[in-house]
Amino acid sequence: MIDLIAKTRCPGWSKAQRHLAKSDPVLAAIIARVGGCTLAPRTDKFGALCQSIINQQISTIAARAVWRRFCALFPRKRPRPKPLLVLSDAALRAAGLSRQKASYLRSLARAFASGAIPVRRLQRMTDEEVVQALIPVKGIGRWTAEMFLIFVLNRTDLLPVDDLGLRAQAARAYGLASLPTAAELIDLAERWRPYRSIATWYLWRNGDKSTK
């Protein structure tokens, strides 16, 4: 979802970076190493959620290949709800989608087409309201909704406590003997408010940097 969906100009995160660096010396070192935050809002909310579903439980390389084939099924290679609903099962299978993921994508398309997901109001809704609007869709749980809030809507103070990658990177960065529990992660992140999403992004990116 992060690298293929169209996005608008990257907003300035210098205030968040200064706050995090001042309040947490561990993050200060990570920010210096990673550089400026490149989070930017995504313009195609439907496409972002489609790609999030496609990415589930397959490798990055495989997900990108399926995503390209899936996009090729639509005019201008842009997935839209109503055209998706008339695609045949055979066409979706040929793109590399399992029967289960095809059903998830149809569920998402119906929610967008019917207005069950209030696309135009999402920016004005609270974080929890957005989560509750998304999770009735098959294939979208709280984690996916939280990734949508961070990467698509750029909400600044999300802390996805169930994300194993975040917990692993927090343990590594802060020298913890084991993965922090949800409560321990919440306690650790208090100093990051109101930019817990940005701190989370930096911990993820620090993990990416460490593997290169």
Side-chain angles (χ1 to χ4, degrees):
M1 181 169 68
I2 299 171
D3 58 345
L4 297 178
I5 296 298
K7 59 187 179 180
T8 62
R9 184 178 179 181
C10 181
W13 295 112
S14 57
K15 183 177 179 181
Q17 290 162 200
R18 288 195 300 270
H19 170 81
L20 294 170
K22 183 177 180 180
S23 61
D24 188 329
V26 171
L27 273 180
I30 291 173
I31 291 168
R33 180 172 183 243
V34 171
C37 178
T38 58
L39 269 178
R42 268 56 188 179
T43 58
D44 184 359
K45 297 175 177 62
F46 178 72
L49 287 167
C50 284
Q51 193 171 19
S52 182
I53 289 171
I54 288 170
N55 289 354
Q56 292 173 7
Q57 298 179 328
I58 58 176
S59 71
T60 300
I61 293 174
R64 285 177 176 171
V66 174
W67 173 248
R68 285 193 295 269
R69 292 195 295 268
F70 176 71
C71 288
L73 299 173
F74 299 88
R76 297 187 297 278
K77 297 184 178 180
R78 185 182 180 188
R80 308 308 303 152
K82 291 182 180 179
L84 193 157
L85 288 172
V86 300
L87 285 174
S88 68
D89 291 341
L92 293 174
R93 284 198 303 272
L97 291 160
S98 67
R99 181 178 300 176
Q100 184 180 55
K101 285 191 178 179
S103 73
Y104 291 167
L105 290 169
R106 292 189 195 284
S107 176
L108 177 66
R110 285 192 294 270
F112 268 76
S114 68
I117 293 178
V119 181
R120 294 183 179 180
R121 290 197 293 110
L122 287 173
Q123 290 285 6
R124 302 192 300 274
M125 293 164 66
T126 67
D127 294 343
E128 188 59 28
E129 285 172 343
V130 173
V131 170
Q132 293 305 317
L134 294 178
I135 59 176
V137 177
K138 289 194 300 182
I140 296 181
R142 175 169 284 274
W143 181 86
T144 300
E146 289 175 340
M147 296 305 102
F148 179 84
L149 283 163
I150 293 173
F151 287 105
V152 180
L153 300 185
N154 284 181
R155 296 296 173 87
T156 61
D157 202 31
L158 255 289
L159 184 68
V161 295
D162 296 323
D163 185 85
L164 289 176
L166 173 59
R167 292 168 63 195
Q169 290 309 316
R172 176 176 172 269
Y174 292 88
L176 306 179
S178 60
L179 296 184
T181 64
E184 289 168 341
L185 189 58
I186 290 169
D187 184 62
L188 174 66
E190 277 301 306
R191 73 191 81 175
W192 304 340
R193 289 181 182 274
Y195 299 112
R196 292 181 298 173
S197 299
I198 313 306
T200 294
W201 182 89
Y202 271 107
L203 286 169
W204 280 329
R205 289 292 291 123
N206 189 53
D208 292 343
K209 291 279 187 180
S210 69
T211 62
K212 293 181 180 179

